[in-house]
Amino acid sequence: MRPNIVRRAKGVYDNLPLPAGSAVGVVLVLVLDRVRRAPMPGSRAAQRAAGAASIAAGFALNAWALVERRRRSTGDFQLEQPESLVSTGPYAFSRHPMYLGWWLIHLGVGVLRGTLWVAATLPVAVLVEHIGGSVAEERDLRARFGEEYERYAERVPRYAGLPRRPRRRDLLRDRAAGGGLRGGRLR
């Protein structure tokens, strides 16, 4: 019975989308604020409300992205080993919605706490996760999904923004190759 619990716990941990930059950054915000206060100007009530909203938005975005990824998995869910390219849900607006979610959580913790330390830790976390996370993941996805990923990357911004509409020339190329639009989306 015990090995089954350990195996399940390890499976949950392995699929936890907790990037190191944000995890360390959040801890640093809390520790640095305790060691040396650096209060934000403004109303504490407004800071608490904005921080809580940012944390809630980050958790909601992460949960939505995880649900969408799991929904597209047919076998055992492996976060780092996608079976197919997911381009629906939050992935239609961001190629890395989970990083974005964690950055919102990181920002929210600092604002909720009312500390300016978040202004120092968040950019470092973003840079670390950009270089060591999203760029490396995109390289792997290009190798795994090839042309399909290239078309996706052309349409969907890396972190945030509105998806770009495919150019007519690209639609014609995709149709000739057997792709094209289906249900208003490229397949």
Side-chain angles (χ1 to χ4, degrees):
M1 175 91 86
R2 187 165 169 79
N4 189 28
I5 292 171
V6 171
R7 187 177 46 232
R8 291 184 83 189
K10 184 181 179 335
V12 168
Y13 176 77
D14 288 344
N15 283 311
L16 237 140
L18 181 59
S22 287
V24 170
V26 167
V27 170
L28 275 175
V29 163
L30 298 172
V31 169
L32 290 170
D33 190 53
R34 271 192 84 76
V35 171
R36 181 166 172 88
R37 290 278 303 142
M40 284 182 174
S43 157
R44 283 297 294 136
Q47 291 167 0
R48 287 184 182 115
S54 183
I55 291 168
F59 274 118
L61 184 57
N62 280 342
W64 186 22
L66 273 175
V67 165
E68 194 66 21
R69 284 284 306 278
R70 284 181 193 265
R71 198 167 70 85
R72 300 289 181 191
S73 296
T74 56
D76 286 339
F77 176 67
Q78 296 295 319
L79 184 64
E80 297 297 325
Q81 302 296 320
E83 296 172 15
S84 64
L85 184 64
V86 178
S87 60
T88 56
Y91 293 95
F93 305 100
S94 170
R95 295 193 311 259
H96 301 282
M98 286 190 238
Y99 284 124
L100 195 56
W102 278 106
W103 298 336
L104 286 170
I105 293 167
H106 186 154
L107 174 66
V109 167
V111 173
L112 180 72
R113 187 90 181 137
T115 180
L116 287 173
W117 284 111
V118 73
T121 60
L122 183 58
V124 173
V126 169
L127 183 63
V128 164
E129 289 160 4
H130 171 76
I131 294 168
S134 61
V135 171
E137 287 173 14
E138 288 184 3
R139 191 174 29 252
D140 292 344
L141 290 169
R142 273 188 181 85
R144 184 176 291 218
F145 299 111
E147 180 78 22
E148 181 184 9
Y149 184 80
E150 289 299 330
R151 287 192 308 269
Y152 171 68
E154 287 174 7
R155 283 190 333 271
V156 177
R158 180 174 275 153
Y159 297 117
L162 296 175
R164 293 178 287 280
R165 297 188 78 194
R167 295 177 292 208
R168 182 168 173 71
R169 175 183 72 201
D170 296 336
L171 288 174
L172 294 173
R173 179 198 67 211
D174 290 342
R175 283 190 191 134
L181 283 177
R182 218 179 248 174
R185 295 184 180 201
L186 280 174
R187 60 171 186 137

